[in-house]
């Protein structure tokens, strides 16, 4: 029995590298290069004719569900959304291609970040077999070409450890703050209004929102209110007012998604079983606003 | 009984147990259907186990199945027109090749240098991996035409890619008015190699700009 358990151990992940995370040069370099990887324009206005903002939300929500169900690493989803936005900022796309595009972006992001990436076949099943693996592979090349093979985009997750390290939090609270911040980052990726924000801003706002949210339950931080925002802004070199605005927007998005969740629950369309499967949204619901 | 019922119902959805091993690969829908029929009919003990406990998290990724009642399996925007998909794919690939051609003044399909900023010359005897060597005998530079299925793979932004082609390029002239930054993707643009250290100069911070846009 023990042998059997050994054979099915979970996916191995790299341990955090203190040499990278405890070096300020890394943070500074991330801040320098992050804006290279932002989409070039607000594409609903200037590029896309068929695709509407609500469709991006639909495909993003679907992508998040797939990533959660497949227990992808946290970075995969925001990275895939980054590819999607950058592609859509350059290439007019009919809405019937959008889900294929979302699948391709998850395929690429998963390959870049995970030890055992998602397979093309599995992703096609998640589209209810509306696309074929061969099509997915062909479009993979198209997306790569249009992204100029620049896949190693900076995501908000790259900043989380750098930020947390500089906060005067008791270490036992950090994992909860980290978890909530990751949830906020995923939420931001589903909402287009964050698509053009620098990842460092989203990361800082998410950490801020996580601490504020948790503070109402218990004392997680010696810092409160403005002092916290000031410190966070200093760490990632962000304007204080921008950061406050960003954090407020993140909280609004959370509120909306909570309402959406309660509506869904009111419909009774989800079984208890299904709710338990989704790891991230459960965390969101746990946050008391 | 309940378990058997659920398993066979899942059969209508399509294959859900892919990646038993990487070697299996995609063998077309027939092989999957076959496998699935087999699975539905015999219902393996592991399946019973995973169904009864829902122990998906115990499994590693390559044995990671798609849950049977997954509501994530859905088609979002209606049926996809495969023909349209193919046409768009070809058109976009052609535009990628064209972009690369203009950027590097090199025709990646026929492997012919073109007029432009880069002077291309063949490099011989670099001990390149076989993968990069041309297939079969070839004419001198510019004359060799061969099927190049990987032409679209040659879009890398680093000049090192082109060494792999057993061709090297040098920058002959650089027009100062060249527009900086190409839409759709950041990254080093033309002739940047000589000034690698100052590459980041071109990505001056837009942080303040973005902030002011964002404020309500």
């Amino acid at each position: 029995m023990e042998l059997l358990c050994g054979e099915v151990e979970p996916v191995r992940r790299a341990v955090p590298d203190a040499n990278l995370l405890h070096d300020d040069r890394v943070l500074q370099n991330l801040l320098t290069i992050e804006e290279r990887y932002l989409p070039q324009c607000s594409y609903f206005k200037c590029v896309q004719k068929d695709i509407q903002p609500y469709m991006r939300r639909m495909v993003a929500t679907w992508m998040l569900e797939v990533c959660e169900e497949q227990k992808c690493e946290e970075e995969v989803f925001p990275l895939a959304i980054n590819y999607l936005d950058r592609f859509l900022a350059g290439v007019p796309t009919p809405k019937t291609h959008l889900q294929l595009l979302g699948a391709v972006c998850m395929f690429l992001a998963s390959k870049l970040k995970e030890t055992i990436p998602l397979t093309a076949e599995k992703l096609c099943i998640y589209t209810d077999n509306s696309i074929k693996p061969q099509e997915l592979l062909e479009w993979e090349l198209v997306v790569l070409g249009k992204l100029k093979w620049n896949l190693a985009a900076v995501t908000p997750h790259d900043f989380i450890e750098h930020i947390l390290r500089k906060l005067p939090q008791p270490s036992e609270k950090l994992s909860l703050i980290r978890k909530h911040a990751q949830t906020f980052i995923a939420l931001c990726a589903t909402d287009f209004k964050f698509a053009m924000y620098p990842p460092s801003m989203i990361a800082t706002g998410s950490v801020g929102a996580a601490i504020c949210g948790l503070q109402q339950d218990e004392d997680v931080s010696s810092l409160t209110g403005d002092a916290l925002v000031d410190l966070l802004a200093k760490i990632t070199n962000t304007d204080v007012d921008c950061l406050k605005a960003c954090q407020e927007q993140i909280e609004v998005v959370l509120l909306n998604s909570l309402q959406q969740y309660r509506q869904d629950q009111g419909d009774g369309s989800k079984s208890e079983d299904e709710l338990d499967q989704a790891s991230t949204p459960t965390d969101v619901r746990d946050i008391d606003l | 009984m309940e378990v058997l019922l659920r398993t066979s119902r899942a059969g209508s959805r399509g294959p859900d147990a892919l990646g038993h091993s990487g070697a299996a690969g995609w063998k077309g829908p027939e092989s999957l259907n076959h496998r699935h029929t087999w699975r539905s009919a015999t219902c393996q003990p592991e399946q019973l186990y995973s169904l009864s406990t829902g122990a998906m998290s115990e499994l590693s990724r390559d044995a990671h199945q798609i849950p049977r009642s997954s509501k994530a399996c859905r088609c979002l925007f209606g049926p996809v027109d495969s023909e349209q998909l193919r046409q768009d794919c070809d058109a976009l690939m052609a535009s990628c090749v064209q972009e690369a051609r203009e950027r590097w003044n090199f025709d990646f399909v026929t492997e012919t240098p073109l007029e432009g900023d880069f002077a291309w010359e063949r490099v011989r005897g670099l001990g390149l991996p076989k993968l990069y060597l041309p297939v079969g005998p070839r004419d001198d530079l510019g004359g060799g035409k061969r099927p190049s299925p990987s032409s679209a793979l040659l879009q890398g932004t680093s000049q090192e890619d082109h060494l792999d082609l057993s061709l090297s390029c040098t920058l002959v002239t650089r027009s100062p008015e060249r527009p900086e930054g190409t839409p759709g993707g950041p990254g080093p643009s033309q002739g940047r190699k000589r000034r690698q250290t100052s590459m980041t100069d071109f990505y001056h911070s837009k942080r303040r700009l973005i902030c002011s846009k964002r404020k309500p």
Side-chain angles (χ1 to χ4, degrees):
Chain A
M1 193 58 200
E2 270 176 13
L3 257 181
L4 188 66
C5 288
E7 283 166 11
V8 289
E9 62 189 16
V11 175
R12 288 191 179 277
R13 298 186 177 187
V15 292
D17 186 343
N19 291 315
L20 295 176
L21 296 174
H22 294 182
D23 191 330
D24 250 359
R25 290 175 300 176
V26 175
L27 176 60
Q28 291 314 315
N29 286 339
L30 284 170
L31 289 169
T32 308
I33 64 169
E34 63 173 343
E35 286 173 15
R36 290 183 206 176
Y37 299 98
L38 292 179
Q40 297 291 303
C41 63
S42 180
Y43 50 78
F44 294 117
K45 285 179 195 144
C46 55
V47 183
Q48 303 300 336
K49 295 193 174 68
D50 199 16
I51 295 177
Q52 304 291 319
Y54 81 88
M55 296 174 188
R56 181 193 183 273
R57 197 161 53 242
M58 276 173 74
V59 78
T61 308
W62 170 73
M63 289 162 72
L64 181 59
E65 283 173 45
V66 173
C67 287
E68 282 180 348
E69 199 165 280
Q70 289 297 312
K71 300 195 163 50
C72 292
E73 296 195 26
E74 292 77 15
E75 277 178 292
V76 172
F77 172 62
L79 191 60
I81 292 287
N82 172 273
Y83 299 161
L84 183 79
D85 284 333
R86 281 162 59 203
F87 183 89
L88 290 177
V91 183
T93 307
K95 70 167 187 275
T96 48
H97 294 11
L98 194 54
Q99 193 173 16
L100 166 64
L101 206 56
V104 168
C105 293
M106 283 191 282
F107 190 49
L108 288 170
S110 175
K111 278 201 221 182
L112 195 75
K113 291 289 176 189
E114 303 199 274
T115 44
I116 304 173
L118 297 169
T119 61
E121 291 81 5
K122 202 179 270 180
L123 284 166
C124 288
I125 295 167
Y126 274 115
T127 69
D128 205 14
N129 295 307
S130 63
I131 57 168
K132 299 181 193 71
Q134 186 55 38
E135 291 167 336
L136 189 124
L137 296 180
E138 284 165 7
W139 277 79
E140 182 190 22
L141 268 186
V142 170
V143 173
L144 280 169
K146 289 296 170 188
L147 297 183
K148 307 263 191 283
W149 293 75
N150 269 323
L151 295 193
V154 178
T155 71
H157 288 284
D158 292 321
F159 294 97
I160 292 293
E161 292 309 318
H162 290 282
I163 297 170
L164 291 182
R165 194 174 68 84
K166 297 190 173 176
L167 293 179
Q169 310 293 343
S171 57
E172 69 271 17
K173 304 288 181 197
L174 279 183
S175 68
L176 193 58
I177 295 172
R178 181 184 299 116
K179 216 172 156 196
H180 282 217
Q182 285 170 344
T183 305
F184 281 123
I185 290 170
L187 269 181
C188 290
T190 60
D191 197 317
F192 182 69
K193 69 168 167 276
F194 297 97
M196 315 273 285
Y197 289 16
S200 62
M201 166 102 66
I202 293 172
T204 319
S206 295
V207 173
I211 294 176
C212 288
L214 288 166
Q215 226 143 28
Q216 302 184 349
D217 288 344
E218 46 183 328
D219 200 23
V220 292
S221 172
S222 51
L223 284 172
T224 48
D226 287 345
L228 175 66
V229 176
D230 285 345
L231 175 61
L232 285 170
K234 217 172 130 193
I235 294 171
T236 51
N237 202 14
T238 309
D239 182 271
V240 173
D241 292 336
C242 290
L243 181 59
K244 279 183 183 166
C246 180
Q247 191 175 322
E248 278 165 25
Q249 286 179 348
I250 291 173
E251 281 157 3
V252 169
V253 170
L254 171 66
L255 216 56
N256 290 343
S257 83
L258 282 170
Q259 278 168 356
Q260 184 65 42
Y261 161 69
R262 284 186 189 122
Q263 266 176 18
D264 290 350
Q265 206 183 34
D267 295 344
S269 56
K270 288 180 179 176
S271 73
E272 202 57 39
D273 228 20
E274 282 169 310
L275 292 175
D276 284 343
Q277 281 175 0
S279 56
T280 314
T282 318
D283 301 335
V284 176
R285 290 160 209 147
D286 291 340
I287 299 172
D288 189 20
L289 277 180
Chain B
M1 194 55 204
E2 163 66 8
V3 168
L4 281 170
L5 189 66
R6 287 176 66 186
T7 312
S8 59
R9 196 180 57 194
S12 63
R13 181 188 300 285
D16 60 356
L18 291 155
H20 281 311
S21 74
W26 172 251
K27 299 208 185 79
E30 296 82 5
S31 67
L32 286 166
N33 283 340
H34 170 75
R35 187 195 299 171
H36 208 80
T37 323
W38 173 79
R39 278 165 41 84
S40 303
T42 55
C43 196
Q44 299 294 291
E46 307 91 82
Q47 269 184 303
L48 287 170
Y49 174 76
S50 78
L51 276 175
S52 57
T53 62
M56 298 301 288
S57 57
E58 302 280 327
L59 304 173
S60 62
R61 167 63 65 73
D62 59 335
H64 207 153
Q65 302 180 357
I66 296 172
R68 275 144 195 79
S69 57
S70 173
K71 69 180 183 65
C73 289
R74 58 181 192 263
C75 176
L76 296 180
F77 303 105
V80 180
D81 182 349
S82 289
E83 187 49 40
Q84 182 70 40
L85 215 52
R86 160 127 309 283
Q87 283 173 17
D88 289 356
C89 180
D90 290 345
L92 286 168
M93 286 309 278
S95 84
C96 284
V97 171
Q98 183 61 28
E99 274 171 32
R101 178 190 162 103
E102 284 165 14
R103 181 172 191 172
W104 299 103
N105 62 269
F106 190 87
D107 187 329
F108 290 98
V109 181
T110 59
E111 301 203 349
T112 320
L114 306 165
E115 279 296 301
D117 289 345
F118 295 98
W120 290 88
E121 61 182 77
R122 169 151 296 164
V123 177
R124 293 183 189 276
L126 281 184
L128 292 166
K130 279 205 182 105
L131 175 70
Y132 297 118
L133 294 175
V135 184
R138 237 168 48 153
D139 297 347
D140 214 7
L141 184 64
K145 297 198 178 184
R146 63 176 173 117
S148 183
S150 60
S151 59
L153 291 167
L154 311 176
Q155 311 269 328
T157 49
S158 73
Q159 298 186 355
E160 281 75 9
D161 288 354
H162 300 272
L163 288 174
D164 292 342
L165 287 176
S166 69
L167 284 164
S168 78
C169 68
T170 40
L171 192 58
V172 206
T173 57
R174 195 171 60 218
S175 40
E177 273 79 41
R178 189 193 305 282
E180 291 302 341
T182 41
S189 41
Q190 304 95 318
R192 202 60 57 70
K193 194 181 186 183
R194 309 276 179 275
R195 316 204 301 117
Q196 192 81 28
T197 46
S198 59
M199 199 168 77
T200 49
D201 293 351
F202 295 98
Y203 298 99
H204 54 92
S205 174
K206 283 175 284 187
R207 189 181 306 275
R208 296 291 161 263
L209 203 74
I210 287 165
C211 287
S212 57
K213 263 191 273 174
R214 179 180 312 136
K215 279 190 189 171

